[in-house]
Amino acid sequence: MVQGILNKGRILSATLALVGSFTTPLAAQELAGAYLAARHAALQSDFNVAAAYFDRARLRDPGQPALMEETVLARLLSGDVAQALPIARDMVAAGIPSQAAHLAMVADLGAQGDYAAVRAWDTQAQGIGPLVDGLLTAWAAVG
C-alpha cells in the first residue's frame, strides 16, 4: 500500500515536472514559433507572410535588432516600403547599423522624388554597399 502511494507520488511529480517544462516559457514559444514561421515563409519567398510573422515576433521583443532587420528586409522584398520605413527609422534612431534600414529610407526618398536628398545621402555613415551606393548616386543624378 505504502509502496503504491510512493509510486503514484513519483509519477505525479514526474508528470508535473514534464508539464511545467512545456508551459513555463509560453512567451518564448510564441516568439520562437512566430520567428520560425517567418523564416520558413522567407525561405519560400513569401515575403508578405514572412513580414507578418516577423511583426508578431517583434510584439514579444520589439527592440531586438535582428528581428527589426528581418522585418524591414521582408517588407522591402514584398515591395512595402511604407511599412518598412517606421522600423527603419527606429533602427537608425537607436544607432542600429542596418543596410536594409538605409535602403528603406533611400527608397522612400526616391519614391517621393527627392533626388537631391538621395544625392546628399551620406554613404560613408549610412551606406548600403558599394555597388548599391554607386547605383543610387547615378540614379539620383538622372532623376
PDB file of all heavy atoms in Angstrom, residues 29-59 66-75 77:
ATOM      1  N   GLN A  29       7.948  30.386 -26.462  1.00  0.00           N
ATOM      2  CA  GLN A  29       7.425  29.514 -27.510  1.00  0.00           C
ATOM      3  C   GLN A  29       6.706  30.332 -28.575  1.00  0.00           C
ATOM      4  O   GLN A  29       6.848  30.062 -29.772  1.00  0.00           O
ATOM      5  CB  GLN A  29       6.484  28.466 -26.916  1.00  0.00           C
ATOM      6  CG  GLN A  29       7.193  27.414 -26.100  1.00  0.00           C
ATOM      7  CD  GLN A  29       6.231  26.458 -25.436  1.00  0.00           C
ATOM      8  OE1 GLN A  29       5.042  26.483 -25.689  1.00  0.00           O
ATOM      9  NE2 GLN A  29       6.756  25.606 -24.574  1.00  0.00           N
ATOM     10  N   GLU A  30       5.937  31.334 -28.151  1.00  0.00           N
ATOM     11  CA  GLU A  30       5.231  32.177 -29.115  1.00  0.00           C
ATOM     12  C   GLU A  30       6.225  32.968 -29.971  1.00  0.00           C
ATOM     13  O   GLU A  30       6.043  33.100 -31.173  1.00  0.00           O
ATOM     14  CB  GLU A  30       4.279  33.122 -28.397  1.00  0.00           C
ATOM     15  CG  GLU A  30       3.091  32.418 -27.785  1.00  0.00           C
ATOM     16  CD  GLU A  30       2.212  33.356 -26.982  1.00  0.00           C
ATOM     17  OE1 GLU A  30       2.371  34.583 -27.088  1.00  0.00           O
ATOM     18  OE2 GLU A  30       1.366  32.850 -26.239  1.00  0.00           O
ATOM     19  N   LEU A  31       7.282  33.475 -29.340  1.00  0.00           N
ATOM     20  CA  LEU A  31       8.313  34.205 -30.069  1.00  0.00           C
ATOM     21  C   LEU A  31       9.013  33.273 -31.047  1.00  0.00           C
ATOM     22  O   LEU A  31       9.167  33.593 -32.224  1.00  0.00           O
ATOM     23  CB  LEU A  31       9.322  34.822 -29.102  1.00  0.00           C
ATOM     24  CG  LEU A  31      10.552  35.492 -29.721  1.00  0.00           C
ATOM     25  CD1 LEU A  31      10.152  36.644 -30.616  1.00  0.00           C
ATOM     26  CD2 LEU A  31      11.494  35.960 -28.631  1.00  0.00           C
ATOM     27  N   ALA A  32       9.408  32.115 -30.567  1.00  0.00           N
ATOM     28  CA  ALA A  32      10.112  31.162 -31.432  1.00  0.00           C
ATOM     29  C   ALA A  32       9.214  30.679 -32.557  1.00  0.00           C
ATOM     30  O   ALA A  32       9.666  30.561 -33.702  1.00  0.00           O
ATOM     31  CB  ALA A  32      10.615  29.981 -30.602  1.00  0.00           C
ATOM     32  N   GLY A  33       7.963  30.414 -32.259  1.00  0.00           N
ATOM     33  CA  GLY A  33       7.036  29.950 -33.289  1.00  0.00           C
ATOM     34  C   GLY A  33       6.844  30.978 -34.381  1.00  0.00           C
ATOM     35  O   GLY A  33       6.907  30.655 -35.577  1.00  0.00           O
ATOM     36  N   ALA A  34       6.648  32.231 -34.001  1.00  0.00           N
ATOM     37  CA  ALA A  34       6.467  33.299 -34.987  1.00  0.00           C
ATOM     38  C   ALA A  34       7.749  33.492 -35.793  1.00  0.00           C
ATOM     39  O   ALA A  34       7.702  33.654 -37.018  1.00  0.00           O
ATOM     40  CB  ALA A  34       6.070  34.602 -34.290  1.00  0.00           C
ATOM     41  N   TYR A  35       8.886  33.440 -35.121  1.00  0.00           N
ATOM     42  CA  TYR A  35      10.160  33.621 -35.813  1.00  0.00           C
ATOM     43  C   TYR A  35      10.404  32.490 -36.817  1.00  0.00           C
ATOM     44  O   TYR A  35      10.778  32.728 -37.966  1.00  0.00           O
ATOM     45  CB  TYR A  35      11.322  33.698 -34.813  1.00  0.00           C
ATOM     46  CG  TYR A  35      12.655  33.824 -35.493  1.00  0.00           C
ATOM     47  CD1 TYR A  35      13.056  35.034 -36.042  1.00  0.00           C
ATOM     48  CD2 TYR A  35      13.499  32.732 -35.618  1.00  0.00           C
ATOM     49  CE1 TYR A  35      14.266  35.155 -36.700  1.00  0.00           C
ATOM     50  CE2 TYR A  35      14.713  32.843 -36.270  1.00  0.00           C
ATOM     51  CZ  TYR A  35      15.088  34.058 -36.806  1.00  0.00           C
ATOM     52  OH  TYR A  35      16.281  34.167 -37.466  1.00  0.00           O
ATOM     53  N   LEU A  36      10.168  31.257 -36.375  1.00  0.00           N
ATOM     54  CA  LEU A  36      10.393  30.126 -37.273  1.00  0.00           C
ATOM     55  C   LEU A  36       9.428  30.148 -38.458  1.00  0.00           C
ATOM     56  O   LEU A  36       9.817  29.834 -39.587  1.00  0.00           O
ATOM     57  CB  LEU A  36      10.277  28.809 -36.503  1.00  0.00           C
ATOM     58  CG  LEU A  36      11.405  28.554 -35.498  1.00  0.00           C
ATOM     59  CD1 LEU A  36      11.099  27.311 -34.666  1.00  0.00           C
ATOM     60  CD2 LEU A  36      12.740  28.430 -36.199  1.00  0.00           C
ATOM     61  N   ALA A  37       8.189  30.535 -38.215  1.00  0.00           N
ATOM     62  CA  ALA A  37       7.218  30.643 -39.306  1.00  0.00           C
ATOM     63  C   ALA A  37       7.651  31.734 -40.293  1.00  0.00           C
ATOM     64  O   ALA A  37       7.531  31.569 -41.510  1.00  0.00           O
ATOM     65  CB  ALA A  37       5.830  30.937 -38.751  1.00  0.00           C
ATOM     66  N   ALA A  38       8.175  32.825 -39.767  1.00  0.00           N
ATOM     67  CA  ALA A  38       8.653  33.920 -40.625  1.00  0.00           C
ATOM     68  C   ALA A  38       9.835  33.461 -41.469  1.00  0.00           C
ATOM     69  O   ALA A  38       9.899  33.730 -42.669  1.00  0.00           O
ATOM     70  CB  ALA A  38       9.044  35.126 -39.771  1.00  0.00           C
ATOM     71  N   ARG A  39      10.780  32.784 -40.848  1.00  0.00           N
ATOM     72  CA  ARG A  39      11.947  32.293 -41.582  1.00  0.00           C
ATOM     73  C   ARG A  39      11.534  31.311 -42.675  1.00  0.00           C
ATOM     74  O   ARG A  39      12.043  31.349 -43.784  1.00  0.00           O
ATOM     75  CB  ARG A  39      12.953  31.628 -40.622  1.00  0.00           C
ATOM     76  CG  ARG A  39      13.590  32.588 -39.638  1.00  0.00           C
ATOM     77  CD  ARG A  39      14.603  33.497 -40.263  1.00  0.00           C
ATOM     78  NE  ARG A  39      15.670  32.698 -40.823  1.00  0.00           N
ATOM     79  CZ  ARG A  39      16.331  33.013 -41.929  1.00  0.00           C
ATOM     80  NH1 ARG A  39      16.064  34.101 -42.584  1.00  0.00           N
ATOM     81  NH2 ARG A  39      17.281  32.229 -42.388  1.00  0.00           N
ATOM     82  N   HIS A  40      10.590  30.435 -42.345  1.00  0.00           N
ATOM     83  CA  HIS A  40      10.115  29.471 -43.341  1.00  0.00           C
ATOM     84  C   HIS A  40       9.450  30.202 -44.512  1.00  0.00           C
ATOM     85  O   HIS A  40       9.718  29.880 -45.677  1.00  0.00           O
ATOM     86  CB  HIS A  40       9.138  28.482 -42.707  1.00  0.00           C
ATOM     87  CG  HIS A  40       8.584  27.504 -43.681  1.00  0.00           C
ATOM     88  ND1 HIS A  40       9.329  26.471 -44.202  1.00  0.00           N
ATOM     89  CD2 HIS A  40       7.370  27.423 -44.267  1.00  0.00           C
ATOM     90  CE1 HIS A  40       8.594  25.791 -45.054  1.00  0.00           C
ATOM     91  NE2 HIS A  40       7.400  26.336 -45.117  1.00  0.00           N
ATOM     92  N   ALA A  41       8.604  31.164 -44.212  1.00  0.00           N
ATOM     93  CA  ALA A  41       7.931  31.926 -45.271  1.00  0.00           C
ATOM     94  C   ALA A  41       8.960  32.670 -46.129  1.00  0.00           C
ATOM     95  O   ALA A  41       8.837  32.708 -47.357  1.00  0.00           O
ATOM     96  CB  ALA A  41       6.928  32.900 -44.666  1.00  0.00           C
ATOM     97  N   ALA A  42       9.983  33.234 -45.495  1.00  0.00           N
ATOM     98  CA  ALA A  42      11.023  33.942 -46.244  1.00  0.00           C
ATOM     99  C   ALA A  42      11.790  32.980 -47.152  1.00  0.00           C
ATOM    100  O   ALA A  42      12.095  33.316 -48.297  1.00  0.00           O
ATOM    101  CB  ALA A  42      11.977  34.660 -45.293  1.00  0.00           C
ATOM    102  N   LEU A  43      12.072  31.797 -46.657  1.00  0.00           N
ATOM    103  CA  LEU A  43      12.765  30.803 -47.483  1.00  0.00           C
ATOM    104  C   LEU A  43      11.914  30.366 -48.672  1.00  0.00           C
ATOM    105  O   LEU A  43      12.445  29.953 -49.695  1.00  0.00           O
ATOM    106  CB  LEU A  43      13.165  29.589 -46.638  1.00  0.00           C
ATOM    107  CG  LEU A  43      14.293  29.826 -45.643  1.00  0.00           C
ATOM    108  CD1 LEU A  43      14.479  28.624 -44.731  1.00  0.00           C
ATOM    109  CD2 LEU A  43      15.590  30.149 -46.361  1.00  0.00           C
ATOM    110  N   GLN A  44      10.598  30.474 -48.520  1.00  0.00           N
ATOM    111  CA  GLN A  44       9.679  30.151 -49.609  1.00  0.00           C
ATOM    112  C   GLN A  44       9.398  31.371 -50.491  1.00  0.00           C
ATOM    113  O   GLN A  44       8.546  31.314 -51.368  1.00  0.00           O
ATOM    114  CB  GLN A  44       8.360  29.610 -49.033  1.00  0.00           C
ATOM    115  CG  GLN A  44       8.507  28.342 -48.215  1.00  0.00           C
ATOM    116  CD  GLN A  44       9.067  27.195 -49.028  1.00  0.00           C
ATOM    117  OE1 GLN A  44       8.632  26.939 -50.133  1.00  0.00           O
ATOM    118  NE2 GLN A  44      10.084  26.535 -48.485  1.00  0.00           N
ATOM    119  N   SER A  45      10.089  32.474 -50.211  1.00  0.00           N
ATOM    120  CA  SER A  45       9.919  33.754 -50.926  1.00  0.00           C
ATOM    121  C   SER A  45       8.519  34.329 -50.781  1.00  0.00           C
ATOM    122  O   SER A  45       8.058  35.070 -51.645  1.00  0.00           O
ATOM    123  CB  SER A  45      10.279  33.605 -52.415  1.00  0.00           C
ATOM    124  OG  SER A  45      11.629  33.220 -52.545  1.00  0.00           O
ATOM    125  N   ASP A  46       7.856  34.016 -49.688  1.00  0.00           N
ATOM    126  CA  ASP A  46       6.535  34.582 -49.389  1.00  0.00           C
ATOM    127  C   ASP A  46       6.755  35.707 -48.372  1.00  0.00           C
ATOM    128  O   ASP A  46       6.532  35.548 -47.175  1.00  0.00           O
ATOM    129  CB  ASP A  46       5.604  33.508 -48.841  1.00  0.00           C
ATOM    130  CG  ASP A  46       4.157  33.956 -48.816  1.00  0.00           C
ATOM    131  OD1 ASP A  46       3.898  35.172 -48.993  1.00  0.00           O
ATOM    132  OD2 ASP A  46       3.281  33.100 -48.627  1.00  0.00           O
ATOM    133  N   PHE A  47       7.207  36.848 -48.885  1.00  0.00           N
ATOM    134  CA  PHE A  47       7.681  37.912 -48.006  1.00  0.00           C
ATOM    135  C   PHE A  47       6.565  38.646 -47.277  1.00  0.00           C
ATOM    136  O   PHE A  47       6.794  39.168 -46.195  1.00  0.00           O
ATOM    137  CB  PHE A  47       8.576  38.871 -48.792  1.00  0.00           C
ATOM    138  CG  PHE A  47       9.776  38.171 -49.357  1.00  0.00           C
ATOM    139  CD1 PHE A  47       9.907  37.975 -50.721  1.00  0.00           C
ATOM    140  CD2 PHE A  47      10.754  37.680 -48.523  1.00  0.00           C
ATOM    141  CE1 PHE A  47      11.003  37.307 -51.234  1.00  0.00           C
ATOM    142  CE2 PHE A  47      11.863  37.000 -49.019  1.00  0.00           C
ATOM    143  CZ  PHE A  47      11.983  36.815 -50.383  1.00  0.00           C
ATOM    144  N   ASN A  48       5.359  38.681 -47.826  1.00  0.00           N
ATOM    145  CA  ASN A  48       4.229  39.275 -47.099  1.00  0.00           C
ATOM    146  C   ASN A  48       3.931  38.475 -45.841  1.00  0.00           C
ATOM    147  O   ASN A  48       3.738  39.041 -44.758  1.00  0.00           O
ATOM    148  CB  ASN A  48       2.982  39.341 -47.983  1.00  0.00           C
ATOM    149  CG  ASN A  48       3.061  40.418 -49.017  1.00  0.00           C
ATOM    150  OD1 ASN A  48       3.557  41.505 -48.760  1.00  0.00           O
ATOM    151  ND2 ASN A  48       2.588  40.125 -50.218  1.00  0.00           N
ATOM    152  N   VAL A  49       3.896  37.167 -45.975  1.00  0.00           N
ATOM    153  CA  VAL A  49       3.652  36.302 -44.818  1.00  0.00           C
ATOM    154  C   VAL A  49       4.820  36.389 -43.849  1.00  0.00           C
ATOM    155  O   VAL A  49       4.619  36.476 -42.627  1.00  0.00           O
ATOM    156  CB  VAL A  49       3.389  34.849 -45.270  1.00  0.00           C
ATOM    157  CG1 VAL A  49       3.350  33.900 -44.081  1.00  0.00           C
ATOM    158  CG2 VAL A  49       2.096  34.764 -46.064  1.00  0.00           C
ATOM    159  N   ALA A  50       6.038  36.389 -44.375  1.00  0.00           N
ATOM    160  CA  ALA A  50       7.214  36.496 -43.506  1.00  0.00           C
ATOM    161  C   ALA A  50       7.161  37.776 -42.684  1.00  0.00           C
ATOM    162  O   ALA A  50       7.405  37.754 -41.477  1.00  0.00           O
ATOM    163  CB  ALA A  50       8.491  36.455 -44.348  1.00  0.00           C
ATOM    164  N   ALA A  51       6.836  38.883 -43.328  1.00  0.00           N
ATOM    165  CA  ALA A  51       6.770  40.165 -42.613  1.00  0.00           C
ATOM    166  C   ALA A  51       5.706  40.124 -41.522  1.00  0.00           C
ATOM    167  O   ALA A  51       5.926  40.632 -40.414  1.00  0.00           O
ATOM    168  CB  ALA A  51       6.487  41.297 -43.591  1.00  0.00           C
ATOM    169  N   ALA A  52       4.573  39.512 -41.812  1.00  0.00           N
ATOM    170  CA  ALA A  52       3.511  39.423 -40.804  1.00  0.00           C
ATOM    171  C   ALA A  52       3.974  38.613 -39.591  1.00  0.00           C
ATOM    172  O   ALA A  52       3.716  38.996 -38.440  1.00  0.00           O
ATOM    173  CB  ALA A  52       2.257  38.799 -41.418  1.00  0.00           C
ATOM    174  N   TYR A  53       4.674  37.513 -39.828  1.00  0.00           N
ATOM    175  CA  TYR A  53       5.177  36.714 -38.706  1.00  0.00           C
ATOM    176  C   TYR A  53       6.319  37.421 -37.977  1.00  0.00           C
ATOM    177  O   TYR A  53       6.420  37.327 -36.749  1.00  0.00           O
ATOM    178  CB  TYR A  53       5.620  35.325 -39.174  1.00  0.00           C
ATOM    179  CG  TYR A  53       4.468  34.353 -39.288  1.00  0.00           C
ATOM    180  CD1 TYR A  53       4.092  33.846 -40.521  1.00  0.00           C
ATOM    181  CD2 TYR A  53       3.765  33.939 -38.161  1.00  0.00           C
ATOM    182  CE1 TYR A  53       3.037  32.946 -40.628  1.00  0.00           C
ATOM    183  CE2 TYR A  53       2.713  33.054 -38.254  1.00  0.00           C
ATOM    184  CZ  TYR A  53       2.355  32.559 -39.487  1.00  0.00           C
ATOM    185  OH  TYR A  53       1.318  31.678 -39.585  1.00  0.00           O
ATOM    186  N   PHE A  54       7.170  38.134 -38.703  1.00  0.00           N
ATOM    187  CA  PHE A  54       8.216  38.901 -38.021  1.00  0.00           C
ATOM    188  C   PHE A  54       7.579  39.983 -37.148  1.00  0.00           C
ATOM    189  O   PHE A  54       8.050  40.250 -36.038  1.00  0.00           O
ATOM    190  CB  PHE A  54       9.193  39.526 -39.015  1.00  0.00           C
ATOM    191  CG  PHE A  54      10.234  38.570 -39.532  1.00  0.00           C
ATOM    192  CD1 PHE A  54      10.447  38.436 -40.891  1.00  0.00           C
ATOM    193  CD2 PHE A  54      11.019  37.822 -38.663  1.00  0.00           C
ATOM    194  CE1 PHE A  54      11.416  37.576 -41.376  1.00  0.00           C
ATOM    195  CE2 PHE A  54      11.989  36.949 -39.132  1.00  0.00           C
ATOM    196  CZ  PHE A  54      12.182  36.827 -40.494  1.00  0.00           C
ATOM    197  N   ASP A  55       6.496  40.608 -37.629  1.00  0.00           N
ATOM    198  CA  ASP A  55       5.783  41.591 -36.809  1.00  0.00           C
ATOM    199  C   ASP A  55       5.274  40.949 -35.528  1.00  0.00           C
ATOM    200  O   ASP A  55       5.343  41.535 -34.450  1.00  0.00           O
ATOM    201  CB  ASP A  55       4.610  42.198 -37.579  1.00  0.00           C
ATOM    202  CG  ASP A  55       5.044  43.237 -38.604  1.00  0.00           C
ATOM    203  OD1 ASP A  55       6.165  43.776 -38.479  1.00  0.00           O
ATOM    204  OD2 ASP A  55       4.251  43.509 -39.531  1.00  0.00           O
ATOM    205  N   ARG A  56       4.749  39.737 -35.648  1.00  0.00           N
ATOM    206  CA  ARG A  56       4.267  39.007 -34.466  1.00  0.00           C
ATOM    207  C   ARG A  56       5.395  38.755 -33.478  1.00  0.00           C
ATOM    208  O   ARG A  56       5.234  38.923 -32.269  1.00  0.00           O
ATOM    209  CB  ARG A  56       3.702  37.665 -34.898  1.00  0.00           C
ATOM    210  CG  ARG A  56       2.258  37.530 -34.803  1.00  0.00           C
ATOM    211  CD  ARG A  56       1.957  36.129 -35.253  1.00  0.00           C
ATOM    212  NE  ARG A  56       0.634  35.733 -34.874  1.00  0.00           N
ATOM    213  CZ  ARG A  56       0.076  34.642 -35.287  1.00  0.00           C
ATOM    214  NH1 ARG A  56       0.741  33.824 -36.072  1.00  0.00           N
ATOM    215  NH2 ARG A  56      -1.133  34.338 -34.913  1.00  0.00           N
ATOM    216  N   ALA A  57       6.529  38.344 -33.996  1.00  0.00           N
ATOM    217  CA  ALA A  57       7.675  38.082 -33.125  1.00  0.00           C
ATOM    218  C   ALA A  57       8.141  39.369 -32.453  1.00  0.00           C
ATOM    219  O   ALA A  57       8.521  39.373 -31.285  1.00  0.00           O
ATOM    220  CB  ALA A  57       8.818  37.459 -33.935  1.00  0.00           C
ATOM    221  N   ARG A  58       8.090  40.470 -33.196  1.00  0.00           N
ATOM    222  CA  ARG A  58       8.524  41.756 -32.642  1.00  0.00           C
ATOM    223  C   ARG A  58       7.596  42.246 -31.533  1.00  0.00           C
ATOM    224  O   ARG A  58       8.003  43.050 -30.696  1.00  0.00           O
ATOM    225  CB  ARG A  58       8.625  42.807 -33.745  1.00  0.00           C
ATOM    226  CG  ARG A  58       9.855  42.605 -34.607  1.00  0.00           C
ATOM    227  CD  ARG A  58      10.042  43.666 -35.687  1.00  0.00           C
ATOM    228  NE  ARG A  58       9.827  45.002 -35.190  1.00  0.00           N
ATOM    229  CZ  ARG A  58       8.781  45.768 -35.537  1.00  0.00           C
ATOM    230  NH1 ARG A  58       7.872  45.350 -36.373  1.00  0.00           N
ATOM    231  NH2 ARG A  58       8.666  46.968 -35.031  1.00  0.00           N
ATOM    232  N   LEU A  59       6.360  41.778 -31.487  1.00  0.00           N
ATOM    233  CA  LEU A  59       5.473  42.140 -30.379  1.00  0.00           C
ATOM    234  C   LEU A  59       6.042  41.633 -29.054  1.00  0.00           C
ATOM    235  O   LEU A  59       5.856  42.263 -28.017  1.00  0.00           O
ATOM    236  CB  LEU A  59       4.070  41.563 -30.591  1.00  0.00           C
ATOM    237  CG  LEU A  59       3.249  42.190 -31.708  1.00  0.00           C
ATOM    238  CD1 LEU A  59       1.938  41.425 -31.897  1.00  0.00           C
ATOM    239  CD2 LEU A  59       2.972  43.654 -31.428  1.00  0.00           C
ATOM    240  N   ALA A  66      17.959  42.063 -34.683  1.00  0.00           N
ATOM    241  CA  ALA A  66      17.847  41.079 -35.766  1.00  0.00           C
ATOM    242  C   ALA A  66      16.407  40.952 -36.254  1.00  0.00           C
ATOM    243  O   ALA A  66      16.162  40.841 -37.464  1.00  0.00           O
ATOM    244  CB  ALA A  66      18.371  39.718 -35.309  1.00  0.00           C
ATOM    245  N   LEU A  67      15.449  40.992 -35.333  1.00  0.00           N
ATOM    246  CA  LEU A  67      14.043  40.933 -35.739  1.00  0.00           C
ATOM    247  C   LEU A  67      13.645  42.180 -36.519  1.00  0.00           C
ATOM    248  O   LEU A  67      12.899  42.095 -37.501  1.00  0.00           O
ATOM    249  CB  LEU A  67      13.127  40.792 -34.517  1.00  0.00           C
ATOM    250  CG  LEU A  67      13.071  39.424 -33.864  1.00  0.00           C
ATOM    251  CD1 LEU A  67      12.203  39.473 -32.605  1.00  0.00           C
ATOM    252  CD2 LEU A  67      12.558  38.380 -34.828  1.00  0.00           C
ATOM    253  N   MET A  68      14.140  43.322 -36.095  1.00  0.00           N
ATOM    254  CA  MET A  68      13.854  44.562 -36.816  1.00  0.00           C
ATOM    255  C   MET A  68      14.420  44.492 -38.230  1.00  0.00           C
ATOM    256  O   MET A  68      13.733  44.826 -39.202  1.00  0.00           O
ATOM    257  CB  MET A  68      14.419  45.761 -36.049  1.00  0.00           C
ATOM    258  CG  MET A  68      13.763  45.983 -34.705  1.00  0.00           C
ATOM    259  SD  MET A  68      14.599  47.244 -33.718  1.00  0.00           S
ATOM    260  CE  MET A  68      13.821  48.717 -34.397  1.00  0.00           C
ATOM    261  N   GLU A  69      15.658  44.036 -38.337  1.00  0.00           N
ATOM    262  CA  GLU A  69      16.326  43.916 -39.636  1.00  0.00           C
ATOM    263  C   GLU A  69      15.561  42.970 -40.557  1.00  0.00           C
ATOM    264  O   GLU A  69      15.309  43.271 -41.722  1.00  0.00           O
ATOM    265  CB  GLU A  69      17.759  43.408 -39.433  1.00  0.00           C
ATOM    266  CG  GLU A  69      18.498  43.093 -40.705  1.00  0.00           C
ATOM    267  CD  GLU A  69      19.331  44.249 -41.203  1.00  0.00           C
ATOM    268  OE1 GLU A  69      19.425  45.274 -40.517  1.00  0.00           O
ATOM    269  OE2 GLU A  69      19.889  44.122 -42.290  1.00  0.00           O
ATOM    270  N   GLU A  70      15.197  41.802 -40.033  1.00  0.00           N
ATOM    271  CA  GLU A  70      14.468  40.816 -40.840  1.00  0.00           C
ATOM    272  C   GLU A  70      13.110  41.358 -41.281  1.00  0.00           C
ATOM    273  O   GLU A  70      12.671  41.107 -42.406  1.00  0.00           O
ATOM    274  CB  GLU A  70      14.282  39.516 -40.046  1.00  0.00           C
ATOM    275  CG  GLU A  70      15.560  38.781 -39.755  1.00  0.00           C
ATOM    276  CD  GLU A  70      16.094  37.981 -40.927  1.00  0.00           C
ATOM    277  OE1 GLU A  70      15.439  37.931 -41.979  1.00  0.00           O
ATOM    278  OE2 GLU A  70      17.180  37.399 -40.776  1.00  0.00           O
ATOM    279  N   THR A  71      12.450  42.106 -40.405  1.00  0.00           N
ATOM    280  CA  THR A  71      11.146  42.671 -40.750  1.00  0.00           C
ATOM    281  C   THR A  71      11.281  43.708 -41.858  1.00  0.00           C
ATOM    282  O   THR A  71      10.501  43.706 -42.820  1.00  0.00           O
ATOM    283  CB  THR A  71      10.479  43.306 -39.514  1.00  0.00           C
ATOM    284  OG1 THR A  71      10.427  42.337 -38.458  1.00  0.00           O
ATOM    285  CG2 THR A  71       9.064  43.766 -39.822  1.00  0.00           C
ATOM    286  N   VAL A  72      12.253  44.594 -41.713  1.00  0.00           N
ATOM    287  CA  VAL A  72      12.484  45.612 -42.753  1.00  0.00           C
ATOM    288  C   VAL A  72      12.793  44.937 -44.079  1.00  0.00           C
ATOM    289  O   VAL A  72      12.233  45.291 -45.118  1.00  0.00           O
ATOM    290  CB  VAL A  72      13.624  46.579 -42.337  1.00  0.00           C
ATOM    291  CG1 VAL A  72      14.057  47.444 -43.511  1.00  0.00           C
ATOM    292  CG2 VAL A  72      13.176  47.446 -41.173  1.00  0.00           C
ATOM    293  N   LEU A  73      13.658  43.944 -44.039  1.00  0.00           N
ATOM    294  CA  LEU A  73      14.041  43.252 -45.265  1.00  0.00           C
ATOM    295  C   LEU A  73      12.839  42.554 -45.913  1.00  0.00           C
ATOM    296  O   LEU A  73      12.633  42.658 -47.129  1.00  0.00           O
ATOM    297  CB  LEU A  73      15.146  42.243 -44.965  1.00  0.00           C
ATOM    298  CG  LEU A  73      15.855  41.620 -46.149  1.00  0.00           C
ATOM    299  CD1 LEU A  73      16.427  42.680 -47.074  1.00  0.00           C
ATOM    300  CD2 LEU A  73      16.950  40.691 -45.664  1.00  0.00           C
ATOM    301  N   ALA A  74      12.026  41.882 -45.109  1.00  0.00           N
ATOM    302  CA  ALA A  74      10.841  41.214 -45.650  1.00  0.00           C
ATOM    303  C   ALA A  74       9.871  42.231 -46.250  1.00  0.00           C
ATOM    304  O   ALA A  74       9.290  42.001 -47.310  1.00  0.00           O
ATOM    305  CB  ALA A  74      10.155  40.389 -44.568  1.00  0.00           C
ATOM    306  N   ARG A  75       9.700  43.359 -45.574  1.00  0.00           N
ATOM    307  CA  ARG A  75       8.813  44.407 -46.102  1.00  0.00           C
ATOM    308  C   ARG A  75       9.348  44.960 -47.423  1.00  0.00           C
ATOM    309  O   ARG A  75       8.587  45.171 -48.370  1.00  0.00           O
ATOM    310  CB  ARG A  75       8.653  45.541 -45.095  1.00  0.00           C
ATOM    311  CG  ARG A  75       7.906  45.164 -43.847  1.00  0.00           C
ATOM    312  CD  ARG A  75       6.438  45.137 -44.103  1.00  0.00           C
ATOM    313  NE  ARG A  75       5.724  44.795 -42.880  1.00  0.00           N
ATOM    314  CZ  ARG A  75       4.584  44.155 -42.876  1.00  0.00           C
ATOM    315  NH1 ARG A  75       4.004  43.801 -43.987  1.00  0.00           N
ATOM    316  NH2 ARG A  75       3.993  43.866 -41.744  1.00  0.00           N
ATOM    317  N   LEU A  77      11.342  43.425 -49.570  1.00  0.00           N
ATOM    318  CA  LEU A  77      11.258  42.396 -50.603  1.00  0.00           C
ATOM    319  C   LEU A  77       9.824  42.163 -51.073  1.00  0.00           C
ATOM    320  O   LEU A  77       9.616  41.693 -52.188  1.00  0.00           O
ATOM    321  CB  LEU A  77      11.877  41.092 -50.098  1.00  0.00           C
ATOM    322  CG  LEU A  77      13.399  41.134 -49.959  1.00  0.00           C
ATOM    323  CD1 LEU A  77      13.914  39.906 -49.229  1.00  0.00           C
ATOM    324  CD2 LEU A  77      14.059  41.274 -51.317  1.00  0.00           C
TER     325      LEU A  77
END
